[in-house]
Amino acid sequence: MRTIIEPFRIKAVEPIRMTTRDERAGLIAAAYYNLFALHSDDVLIDLLTDSGTSAMSARQQAALMSGDESYAGSPSFFRFEAAVKDLMPFKYVIPTHQGRAAEAILFSILGGAGKFIPSNTHFDTTRGNIEATGAEAADLVIAEGLDPTSTHPFKGNMDLARLDAYLVQHGAAVPCVMITVTNNAGGGQPVSLENIRATAKIARAHGKPFIIDGCRFAENAYFIKMREPGQGDRPVKDIVRDMFAGADGMTMSAKKDAFANIGGWLALNDDDLAQAARNRLILTEGFPTYGGLAGRDLDAIAQGLTEIIDEDYLRYRLRSMAYIGERLEAMGVPIVRPTGGHAVFIDARRLLPHIPPKEYPGQALAVALYLEGGIRSCEIGTVMFGLKPDGTEVEAPMDLVRMAFPRRVYTQSHADYIVEVFEEIVARKDALKGMKIIWQPSAMRHFTAKFAPL
């Protein structure tokens, strides 16, 4: 059959409050045109993020009931730890309340003024946690990763030559090498197994720990299965294990590829680094066997890790993104090609060439999506990445709008509705105006900045 159906049945539903365009005009104005400031029940289709917004399965709901809330040594922790180690062969697994907490702990130890931390592309919270320590975050993705029109199968790959040169240049000031799978900020693009292994080899040659930001590891593994020579007949689980086999540690938001509504972890092999991380965890998150999470959440994550590697689900997940991307391209909407695993990224800079980057075409498009259809999305461009630690502003490499799809939440008709909303926007795209920022914080401004239309 050509039609790939959802490999699940819907057992419970949540109503959507339908709104009119006039209502939404008032709501977005009251939110100062920042999609993060909207009330979620004023949103028809919420594609702001795929983080923590997944629908949990019946087995995950059942696992909640087996959660043990003991302060120390809960069996929920040991079930969680075993589930992580079944996929990622790390010596120490340290739970945190979400991924950015794992990042904050790691960089409170490894970061600091005068340090340099390279990755393929750091996402916003990773970059924020690095820069908050005074360190510099560097993006070394391959050139194709910055070209939305390129159809390179692994646009998330690290530029190996640039990485090697960067490590030579900065030497002892580099505390670790990172890589993000998939490359969220670059369009949800995957990293090949060959590139992961080569990055680990370069890091080892320079004596640097190699850390993987593994938030969407299963989607990345399925892309490897589909696209990388020699991987097509291998189980996703085996590919996942190989992805992490050469790493010295990982940060993880379980709110992505573990189907959880909250949670994450920091996994490490180094004894001293793990001890320092556990000490920091106790100060900021909780005891090392719960890390800021309830036992029930640890059990939900453990169950989610067994479900995310289901290949019928992953095939449906990636095909859903491709379907929407194909429909949008057919009407002339430029997207980041090929479509990623968790989201469809619109190239707002190409769709709205009359709006210059410093007038935030991505934000203008995101606001238009909400006005026309009640769709909440996220700007990933000059708003998110343009403000530098010294207060200056630069154009981001790309101005994108990310439509990130919660796992197991929306159906085919929701996808078709999104396409129809774009038809309305395309018909009047030349009339869309840019935005200006009328207030912003000193860091990570996209979450709370206030905008006004020009």
Side-chain angles (χ1 to χ4, degrees), residues 103 107 122-134 137 443-444:
E103 295 167 354
F107 298 123
H122 295 286
F123 198 57
D124 59 347
T125 59
T126 318
R127 181 179 301 278
N129 275 306
I130 290 170
E131 292 177 346
T133 72
M444 301 188 75

Side-chain angles (χ1 to χ4, degrees), residues 11 26 76 138 141 179 203 209 214 242 263 269 291 308 313 386 445:
K11 203 166 189 177
S76 295
V141 72
I179 202 164
D242 283 352
N269 287 331
I308 194 63
Y313 161 77
R445 64 181 179 179

Side-chain angles (χ1 to χ4, degrees), residues 9-232:
R9 292 188 293 265
I10 296 170
K11 203 166 189 177
V13 297
E14 179 183 3
I16 294 172
R17 188 178 81 82
M18 308 303 287
T19 55
T20 66
R21 192 185 192 283
D22 287 344
E23 283 182 277
R24 294 192 292 269
L27 292 165
I28 193 66
Y32 289 96
Y33 300 92
N34 189 325
L35 284 299
F36 285 94
L38 289 170
H39 293 193
S40 64
D41 53 4
D42 292 328
V43 175
L44 272 67
I45 299 181
D46 202 343
L47 309 180
L48 183 69
T49 181
D50 64 320
S51 179
T53 55
S54 300
M56 286 203 296
S57 69
R59 290 185 178 180
Q60 281 183 292
Q61 294 286 349
L64 295 177
M65 300 307 295
S66 63
D68 182 276
E69 306 306 335
S70 300
Y71 183 87
S74 165
S76 295
F77 167 76
F78 296 107
R79 288 190 287 265
F80 157 80
E81 181 186 49
V84 174
K85 289 186 174 183
D86 187 46
L87 295 174
M88 297 100 174
F90 295 108
K91 188 174 181 181
Y92 303 103
V93 180
I94 302 168
T96 59
H97 83 273
Q98 61 183 55
R100 70 189 65 179
E103 295 167 354
I105 290 170
L106 180 66
F107 298 123
S108 72
I109 302 166
L110 296 183
K115 300 290 184 67
F116 299 86
I117 300 174
S119 181
N120 52 350
T121 308
H122 295 286
F123 198 57
D124 59 347
T125 59
T126 318
R127 181 179 301 278
N129 275 306
I130 290 170
E131 292 177 346
T133 72
E136 180 179 309
D139 297 336
L140 304 178
V141 72
I142 59 172
E144 292 88 342
L146 298 176
D147 178 3
T149 66
S150 170
T151 56
H152 189 290
F154 293 102
K155 288 169 67 173
N157 278 358
M158 181 80 79
D159 187 322
L160 301 173
R162 289 174 67 201
L163 174 64
D164 190 61
Y166 190 89
L167 293 173
V168 170
Q169 177 185 357
H170 294 290
V174 177
C176 67
V177 172
M178 293 195 74
I179 202 164
T180 303
V181 294
T182 56
N183 184 6
N184 186 6
Q189 299 297 311
V191 182
S192 71
L193 183 58
E194 178 185 38
N195 189 259
I196 293 170
R197 287 168 166 165
T199 301
K201 183 177 180 180
I202 290 172
R204 281 196 300 273
H206 289 269
K208 309 299 181 184
F210 176 47
I211 310 294
I212 297 178
D213 174 352
C215 293
R216 297 172 180 88
F217 70 89
E219 293 170 5
N220 197 93
Y222 198 73
F223 276 124
I224 288 172
K225 181 180 176 73
M226 290 195 303
R227 297 178 181 176
E228 191 161 352
Q231 301 298 322

